[in-house]
Amino acid sequence: MKTWHELRGFPLAIRLLLVNQFGVNTGFYLLIPYLAVHLGEDLGMSAAVVGIVLGVRNLSQQGLFLIGGSASDRLGARGVIIAGCALRTLGFGLFALGDGLAVLLAASVLSGLAGALFNPAVRAFLAQQAGSRQAEAFALFNVFATTGALVGPLLGSALLLVDFRVAALTAAALFAVLTVAQALVLPACEVAPAAGGVLADWREVLGNRVFLAFALAMVGMFTLQNQLYLLLPDGARRATGWDGAAGLVFLVGTLANLALQMRLTRVLKERGERARWIGAGLVLMGLAFVPPMVVAGLDAPPGGPGEAVLRALPVLAGALLLYLGVMIAQPFVMELIPAFGRAELTGTYFGLFYVVSGVAAAVGNTVVGWAMDTGSRMRTPWLPWACCLAFGLLSAAGVTWLHRLRGLPGRTTGEETDRPAPDEVPAATAPDGTTTAEATTAEATTAEATTAEATTAGPARATERG
């Protein structure tokens, strides 16, 4: 009821995009988790070819987020969102209709490019339209996304009993419906003419060293979130001896998300700085991997249902803690990103943030996979869980360090953000090559009109909201 009440308080366009995210995740998880099985077993492709097809899809999405974000800033988020959904409709349709490698590679590129377009554009649209309620909007976004990630695999497994092509066409039809709904409902937003080129925008964002430090500090969040699909399901299966135990991980998280997300965000928003809650959420995400260590070495099938339940409890407790950590941190992370720079570059900031997160998730999963293999070989099954604990604590330490330096944007109030004092902001490089400290000094020197002007000229250009 709380979630429904919050949803009704937003304009129709935002409500559509929240429901849209449920549909996007439902359609995505309806198909993609089963794509490797289809390519390998149904089409008889080698593991190497399957890896190429899946890798092309992932690279097309993660590598092009920055382009999608810039397109959102330059062309308007509405058109980019619609184009992204239309491209995914086409890509998923090709997965259903094509068996040749060339067609499958084209489908992978189109579906990956679609995600690169609408992911940063949707977040930029929410940030721009939600005003002072950004945290609530992104909290609801998390609720709908998590629910879609649960419904998608369940629907996909049912449709696969008929045929993979039925599942792919269903996913394509879902994206087609979303495309039409967006074209009918999303308002056209006027985009101010850009002063410079796209490369200048990229240089400005890449020159914001505080933002880059924050993005790198968030490596732990994305790495640990990915363990919902790797380490935790594997731990649940090993602890219980039942393949279906992996589904319980998502069920626990979805129920907790529906019940607690909005309550947590609303309470925490009024109590302390956002950075403090981001750090607390990251710590909780790291600690989530401690309970599963209790059953990490128990690989033998359990003796009965009662023992299976008992051995599953530590893993499910870890999953619950991980979801709670995400619920605490993620809405405030999304709220902070636009506050690092000019409003005209909101999409670009989101795009770069997701490029970094994609690389982080790939590297983090590689490390965790290595730890799983090494732990199994050296009889140290606790090793991958300890790696995840370290990821969470290190990320929390990074965010805390930036917060203590007062390098992060402060509390958001409407369209303005309380910014750190200029002499306490770590120097970032402006587009013209000067540091923010140099820019601040120059402004203070030339601002002779009033003392107030001299003292307010300080916030770095790299962290202006615009």
Side-chain angles (χ1 to χ4, degrees):
M1 293 298 294
K2 184 72 173 177
T3 299
W4 177 249
H5 176 73
E6 291 284 350
L7 179 64
R8 292 180 61 187
F10 283 100
L12 178 61
I14 291 182
R15 280 182 275 164
L16 171 66
L17 288 183
L18 296 174
V19 176
N20 174 83
Q21 191 59 30
F22 168 78
V24 165
N25 274 18
T26 298
F28 181 85
Y29 289 105
L30 184 158
L31 181 73
I32 296 301
Y34 308 105
L35 181 58
V37 175
H38 169 66
L39 297 176
E41 296 183 4
D42 298 342
L43 302 184
M45 293 183 172
S46 67
V49 174
V50 172
I52 290 173
V53 174
L54 297 179
V56 165
R57 192 213 67 79
N58 191 61
L59 182 62
S60 299
Q61 178 165 315
Q62 303 295 345
L64 298 177
F65 272 133
L66 190 56
I67 293 176
S70 292
S72 173
D73 292 334
R74 297 268 168 167
L75 306 176
R78 177 183 183 273
V80 176
I81 292 169
I82 295 171
C85 263
L87 283 177
R88 185 153 282 181
T89 301
L90 181 59
F92 280 17
L94 285 178
F95 276 128
L97 302 176
D99 293 340
L101 181 58
V103 175
L104 292 170
L105 288 174
S108 294
V109 170
L110 288 174
S111 61
L113 176 60
L117 289 176
F118 65 67
N119 279 347
V122 165
R123 288 159 177 82
F125 187 96
L126 287 178
Q128 291 163 353
Q129 299 294 318
S132 62
R133 301 186 65 199
Q134 287 182 9
E136 289 89 340
F138 283 114
L140 281 171
F141 192 82
N142 189 29
V143 170
F144 280 90
T146 302
T147 306
L150 173 67
V151 173
L154 296 177
L155 182 58
S157 61
L159 292 172
L160 285 172
L161 296 176
V162 181
D163 186 60
F164 176 83
R165 288 176 173 80
V166 173
L169 288 174
T170 301
L174 180 56
F175 278 101
V177 170
L178 293 175
T179 303
V180 173
Q182 291 159 2
L184 294 175
V185 175
L186 292 184
C189 299
E190 184 177 350
V191 180
V198 173
L199 292 180
D201 292 346
W202 292 0
R203 283 195 298 269
E204 180 175 342
V205 177
L206 288 169
N208 190 336
R209 290 187 290 178
V210 179
F211 170 71
L212 291 180
F214 177 72
L216 289 173
M218 298 311 300
V219 163
M221 187 177 81
F222 291 101
T223 299
L224 299 188
Q225 275 187 283
N226 270 264
Q227 302 320 307
L228 290 169
Y229 309 100
L230 178 63
L231 185 56
L232 282 167
D234 181 74
R237 285 189 292 264
R238 288 179 180 272
T240 63
W242 175 44
D243 287 341
L248 296 177
V249 170
F250 302 105
L251 181 60
V252 165
T254 302
L255 293 177
N257 201 279
L258 288 169
L260 299 174
Q261 176 69 83
M262 294 310 302
R263 290 179 172 85
L264 276 173
T265 302
R266 181 171 287 279
V267 169
L268 298 180
K269 181 180 178 180
E270 305 302 326
R271 299 172 185 269
E273 292 291 335
R274 309 300 200 257
R276 184 179 304 168
W277 296 123
I278 293 172
L282 289 167
V283 169
L284 189 58
M285 290 177 70
L287 293 176
F289 293 87
V290 174
M293 289 185 191
V294 176
V295 294
L298 304 178
D299 294 337
E307 187 178 348
V309 171
L310 289 175
R311 292 168 66 174
L313 288 178
V315 179
L316 296 180
L320 178 59
L321 290 175
L322 181 58
Y323 273 102
L324 285 172
V326 173
M327 282 188 268
I328 291 171
Q330 194 173 66
F332 299 128
V333 171
M334 297 295 104
E335 184 187 35
L336 274 186
I337 292 171
F340 276 99
R342 296 185 288 118
E344 294 83 359
L345 295 182
T346 296
T348 305
Y349 273 94
F350 273 112
L352 181 60
F353 186 79
Y354 277 96
V355 168
V356 174
S357 73
V359 173
V363 173
N365 275 344
T366 301
V367 172
V368 174
W370 169 85
M372 292 171 70
D373 291 339
T374 303
S376 178
R377 186 174 61 254
M378 300 182 64
R379 300 184 183 278
T380 54
W382 51 266
L383 184 60
W385 307 97
C387 282
C388 291
L389 171 61
F391 272 123
L393 296 182
L394 287 173
S395 283
V399 172
T400 301
W401 175 72
L402 288 172
H403 178 52
R404 287 181 177 176
L405 289 177
R406 301 191 66 186
L408 299 179
R411 178 183 296 275
T412 300
T413 54
E415 294 299 318
E416 298 298 329
T417 303
D418 298 335
R419 308 225 180 253
D423 58 344
E424 294 174 311
V425 178
T429 303
D432 61 359
T434 62
T435 65
T436 54
E438 292 167 346
T440 300
T441 302
E443 290 181 24
T445 302
T446 57
E448 300 175 352
T450 64
T451 303
E453 289 177 351
T455 57
T456 58
R461 289 289 174 261
T463 57
E464 279 185 359
R465 181 76 187 251

